[in-house]
Amino acid sequence: MALLRLETNATVPEEGAKVLHSKLTRHLAPLFEEPENQVRLEIAANRRMRMATSDEQLVHLEIRNIEFPKDRAEELTDLVCPIIEDVLSIGPKSVYIAVISARNSMWRVNGDAGNKN
């Protein structure tokens, strides 16, 4: 299961949220080697966020996944940034991505530890 938490100081209308979910799920599920129904997206819009002294729109995207390989981080960025730019009109220089990768034994779903590696 992958969890994406997107925070932005931009307004995200309901239709935009649906498009973001659809596009991010479709493009990232294969990268995570997960079915699309295992990719969860949370969107927090209209947040009080600033980068230094700038009032420009920005996005912070936190991605949590089980054992995501470091060598695929650039591929992930290359997939995510164009989607955010297309849907929210926020360019890649204002998109900040944090990838948090947990060992399989540290991930819990519905109280089940899954594989005990």
Side-chain angles (χ1 to χ4, degrees), residues 30-47:
L31 185 67
F32 297 139
E33 298 177 2
E34 297 278 359
E36 288 184 23
N37 67 355
Q38 291 295 308
V39 179
R40 185 174 133 202
L41 173 63
E42 297 175 1
I43 299 174
N46 297 317
R47 303 292 282 217

Side-chain angles (χ1 to χ4, degrees), residues 4-8 12 20 24 41-45 59-62 84 88:
L4 289 69
R5 289 186 171 142
L6 186 147
E7 291 183 295
T8 182
V12 181
L20 268 175
L24 288 171
L41 173 63
E42 297 175 1
I43 299 174
V59 168
H60 176 258
L61 180 63
E62 178 183 293
I84 291 173
L88 299 179

